[in-house]
Amino acid sequence: MSRLRSAAEAALDRRSFLAATGAVGVSAGIGLALRPDTHARTVAAAGAPGAAPAAPAAPGASPAAPPRVPVPGWFPTTLRTVATPRGSASGYRRLGPGPGWKRVVRTQLAAARSGRAERRTALASFVQLTDLHLTDVQHPVRTEYLRAQAAGAWRPQEALTVHGAISLVERVNALRGGPVTGADLGFVMTTGDNTDNNCKAELDWFLRTMSGGRITPDTGDPARYEGVQDSGLPLYWHPDAALRDADKQRGFPRLEGYLAAARRPVTSPGLRLPWYSTVGNHDDLPSGCFANGNGSGYLAEFAVGGRKLLSLPVGEARALEAVLRKGTDPRGGYFTDLLRRETRRMRRVTPDASRAPFTPREYVEAHLDPAYAGAGPAGHGYTRENADTGNLHYSFRISDGVLGISLDTTDKGGHFAGSIGRAQLDWLKRTLLAHRDDHVIVFSHHNSWTFDDGGGEKLVALLKRNRNVVAWINGHSHRNEILAHGGFWEISTASHVEFPQLARIVELTDNHDGTLSLFTTLIESAAPHRTDYDDLSQTGLAALYRELSLNAPGARQNLAGPPEARNTELLLKKR
C-alpha cells in the first residue's frame, strides 16, 4: 500500500512554488569507459548492461552468481562519505567530509528473504540526474526581484550551475559500476529541468556538459557581467564588491574576481556512458510556467532584447508571486503588462539572440545534432518523429527483459505543475501492453503529487494495473522521496541546483526467490567537500557551488529527505 503523504509533506516538497517550480528564482575522475560503439552490444545483453547474461537456473541448481563482487568502501558514493555542514546552524556554514548514509531495506511491497545477496543477479544498472537547472544568470526574463517578497526566490549559487554539472559528470565517469552488483552502468538518464530559462544558450551548455566540449557560461557583453550581482542593490550577494549586502550580513564571503571567474570558459569531458533525456517544465516553458507561444511574442522579444528588470517594490513582488503561484497567468499576460509598466526601472543590457526561447521541435533537433552525439545514442532517446510531431515521449531498450519509458509531463498551456494528456496516456497503455513480459521502468520530470489536473493519480492507477512496471523515477520536487504504490516504487531524486546536490544510481536485480530488488544509491559531484576561497579554478568553483547552495536563504529544509529515501533496497514481488 502506498505511504500516505500529509498536506504538510506536500507543502514541504513544493516549497511554496518559489523553489519547486523555479518560476521565481530559477528561473575529474577517470572511469571505466564505454565507447559509443559498445552501446548496442551492452544494452542488448541479458542481465546487467555491459555484463554477461545470467542463464536461468536449472531445477535444484543454484542461480548464477553476480558478474562481479563490488568493494563497497571503494565506490565514491554517499555510502562512504557525505558533505556535512560545520559550525552553527544559525550562521554561514562551511562543509567538510562526514559519515556516509547507511542503506535502508524497505519491505512494504515484498518480504526480504535471507540469502538473497548470494543469489541475486543484475538486470539493469544506470544513473539518474535531475534538475540541473543550467542557468543564464543574466537572462532578461528571470524574476530575481521576487526576492523582495521571499529570500529564497533567488539562489546565490546560480552563476556556477555549469561548473557543478560538469563536476557531476566527472563523478559519474569515475564510477566503476553499480555499488551493489558491480555490474557495468548501462546509461545515464536526465529527468528534466536540464535548463532553467527555456533558453538556447542554456540548451547548448547542457548538451555540451553531457556530451563533452568547451562552454562559456556567459551571454550578452563578453567583456562585462550584466546581471543582478553587480547592481549595487543590497537585495543580492555582491561577491566582488565591498557592499554590505543582505547575504554578506548572513556571513557570505567577499570573493574578488568571482564574477569574471564564473564567466570564463570551462571544459566538460562529457559522459563516457550513453545518455538519455527527459523534458521538464523549465526546458519547455519560459520561467518554467509560461506558454512558449512557439518561441514568439513579447516575452520572446524581451528575452533577446536590451533591458532587464532588477528590482520591484515589495507590494508588486508579492502580487506577481501570488499570480505565478496560483498558475492564473499561463500565457504571461499579467507578467508582460508588469514588464511594460516597469521599463524606466530596467537596466540596459547587451541584446543577445542566444537567449531566445526554443520550441519542442528545436529541443529535439538539438539532441539529434551530431555535434552533441557524445557517447550516444543518436538523439539521446529522441527521433526525427519526435521532432516532426512535437510528442516528446518515447521508449527504449535498457537490457533484455527491461524496457525504459520516458514521458513528457509538462503543461504546454503554461503551468509549472505536471500534466499528461489522453493521447500520451493511450500511448503509454499500448506500450505497457506490448511489453507485458518485460520489466518496465518509467521516467518523467514531475512526480505523482505535483500534477494539478489529476494526472498523477491517473498515472499511478495505470502503472499499478500493469504488473510489469517496477519503478517510476522522477524529479521536480527537488527532494528525495520514495513511495510504495501497490506493485511498484516511485523514486523521486533531489535536484543538483540545491543542497545537498545529489544524483542517484539505480540497480535492478533478480533475487531468484520470487522477488526483485531496486537498489538506490545517491552520489555527489566530484568537487571537494572543503572549499578554498583563493581557488577560483573550475574545480574550486564547483566546490563553492555546493557550499553556497548550503547557505542560500530558504535552503535550510532537509531536501536530502529521510534515510528511507536515500540509499535503499526496495523489495517487490517478481511478476
Side-chain angles (χ1 to χ4, degrees):
M1 180 178 294
S2 301
R3 182 166 65 84
L4 298 178
R5 299 171 53 84
S6 68
E9 286 177 303
L12 175 63
D13 284 333
R14 284 176 180 260
R15 291 173 298 121
S16 70
F17 152 85
L18 289 173
T21 73
V24 300
V26 292
S27 333
I30 300 174
L32 181 61
L34 275 182
R35 298 187 305 276
D37 60 358
T38 67
H39 179 237
R41 173 177 56 80
T42 58
V43 299
S62 298
R68 182 188 306 138
V69 178
V71 184
W74 182 88
F75 279 78
T77 74
T78 59
L79 289 166
R80 190 169 79 173
T81 184
V82 182
T84 302
R86 304 283 193 260
S88 170
S90 61
Y92 185 93
R93 292 177 293 174
R94 308 299 296 274
L95 286 169
W101 294 327
K102 295 182 179 179
R103 193 175 301 283
V104 176
V105 179
R106 295 185 56 174
T107 57
Q108 291 97 318
L109 301 184
R113 299 179 181 176
S114 61
R116 66 190 183 283
E118 289 72 38
R119 292 190 302 268
R120 73 170 60 106
T121 54
L123 302 178
S125 183
F126 59 91
V127 180
Q128 177 208 8
L129 314 183
T130 195
D131 295 86
L132 297 173
H133 283 282
L134 298 189
T135 305
D136 172 15
V137 293
Q138 301 171 89
H139 197 283
V141 177
R142 286 171 56 75
T143 54
E144 300 102 328
Y145 40 80
L146 290 182
R147 203 183 205 207
Q149 157 68 11
W154 172 76
R155 304 183 181 102
Q157 72 271 21
E158 288 174 346
L160 302 179
T161 52
V162 172
H163 304 75
I166 291 174
S167 186
L168 183 58
V169 167
E170 292 171 341
R171 167 60 74 225
V172 174
N173 285 347
L175 297 170
R176 294 295 198 271
V180 175
T181 64
D184 290 346
L185 297 167
F187 65 97
V188 175
M189 169 62 84
T190 72
T191 50
D193 282 3
N194 307 307
T195 66
D196 189 65
N197 300 298
N198 176 237
C199 157
K200 290 180 179 178
E202 294 170 344
L203 181 56
D204 173 73
W205 302 346
F206 163 66
L207 293 168
R208 291 186 190 279
T209 295
M210 300 293 283
S211 292
R214 190 85 163 153
I215 303 164
T216 302
D218 184 30
T219 58
D221 189 341
R224 65 189 180 98
Y225 170 85
E226 298 177 304
V228 299
Q229 289 189 267
D230 72 346
S231 63
L233 296 169
L235 187 62
Y236 309 106
W237 177 47
H238 287 58
D240 289 81
L243 176 69
R244 187 72 173 160
D245 57 60
D247 290 298
K248 289 204 188 80
Q249 292 177 39
R250 298 182 182 101
F252 273 66
R254 181 181 180 186
L255 301 173
E256 293 186 48
Y258 170 89
L259 290 175
R263 294 163 47 242
R264 284 197 301 257
V266 291
T267 301
S268 173
L271 287 164
R272 299 181 181 180
L273 295 171
W275 64 272
Y276 294 83
S277 183
T278 293
V279 67
N281 54 297
H282 277 265
D283 302 314
D284 211 17
L285 309 173
S287 293
C289 63
F290 298 125
N292 185 291
N294 201 31
S296 61
Y298 179 85
L299 289 182
E301 295 173 3
F302 191 78
V304 302
R307 292 184 180 272
K308 178 175 173 62
L309 184 61
L310 305 182
S311 66
L312 268 184
V314 173
E316 290 272 16
R318 183 179 299 117
L320 177 59
E321 185 274 329
V323 168
L324 297 179
R325 173 170 38 83
K326 293 175 183 176
T328 56
D329 189 32
R331 299 194 177 278
Y334 181 95
F335 183 48
T336 294
D337 289 344
L338 181 145
L339 291 175
R340 286 174 167 148
R341 291 197 309 269
E342 296 292 337
T343 300
R344 292 183 180 180
R345 197 190 303 271
M346 294 180 183
R347 175 183 189 171
R348 289 192 178 277
V349 298
T350 304
D352 191 335
S354 74
R355 292 174 176 152
F358 52 82
T359 64
R361 183 187 187 98
E362 290 170 328
Y363 183 75
V364 173
E365 288 178 338
H367 283 74
L368 290 167
D369 189 334
Y372 302 122
H380 306 290
Y382 297 116
T383 64
R384 175 52 54 186
E385 182 180 358
N386 293 119
D388 292 341
T389 63
N391 296 325
L392 302 190
H393 50 266
Y394 62 89
S395 65
F396 64 105
R397 176 59 57 185
I398 292 176
S399 63
D400 279 0
V402 184
L403 184 79
I405 294 176
S406 173
L407 300 178
D408 175 7
T409 55
T410 61
D411 186 340
K412 309 296 183 184
H415 202 330
F416 58 84
S419 179
I420 187 165
R422 172 54 56 188
Q424 190 175 180
L425 275 175
D426 289 344
W427 172 86
L428 179 58
K429 290 177 185 177
R430 295 192 302 271
T431 303
L432 292 172
L433 180 62
H435 294 275
R436 56 186 173 274
D437 295 328
D438 285 318
H439 300 304
V440 176
I441 299 173
V442 177
F443 300 92
S444 73
H445 179 62
H446 293 85
N447 27 50
S448 61
W449 62 94
T450 53
F451 284 73
D452 274 1
D453 61 355
E457 292 83 358
K458 294 175 186 175
L459 268 176
V460 169
L462 174 59
L463 299 182
K464 285 174 69 173
R465 290 197 302 271
N466 287 268
R467 295 162 64 87
N468 50 341
V469 176
V470 297
W472 176 13
I473 297 175
N474 49 50
H476 186 65
S477 67
H478 291 205
R479 183 176 189 266
N480 288 319
E481 182 67 282
I482 298 179
L483 303 179
H485 288 300
F488 72 94
W489 291 94
E490 181 179 2
I491 301 168
S492 301
T493 301
S495 75
H496 204 255
V497 71
E498 293 180 287
F499 188 80
Q501 297 185 343
L502 300 170
R504 200 185 293 265
I505 303 169
V506 178
E507 298 170 87
L508 175 65
T509 70
D510 186 341
N511 297 325
H512 296 282
D513 59 7
T515 68
L516 304 173
S517 287
L518 281 158
F519 291 92
T520 75
T521 308
L522 294 165
I523 57 174
E524 302 172 292
S525 78
H529 289 159
R530 291 189 177 92
T531 56
D532 178 355
Y533 292 155
D534 293 327
D535 182 5
L536 296 182
S537 67
Q538 180 174 326
T539 298
L541 291 173
L544 183 60
Y545 178 54
R546 186 190 289 126
E547 181 180 298
L548 294 174
S549 73
L550 166 70
N551 290 283
R556 300 302 170 95
Q557 302 176 53
N558 181 20
L559 300 182
E564 59 269 24
R566 301 176 192 172
N567 300 328
T568 67
E569 180 185 2
L570 312 173
L571 276 294
L572 66 162
K573 294 178 181 178
K574 185 177 179 181
R575 308 304 182 187

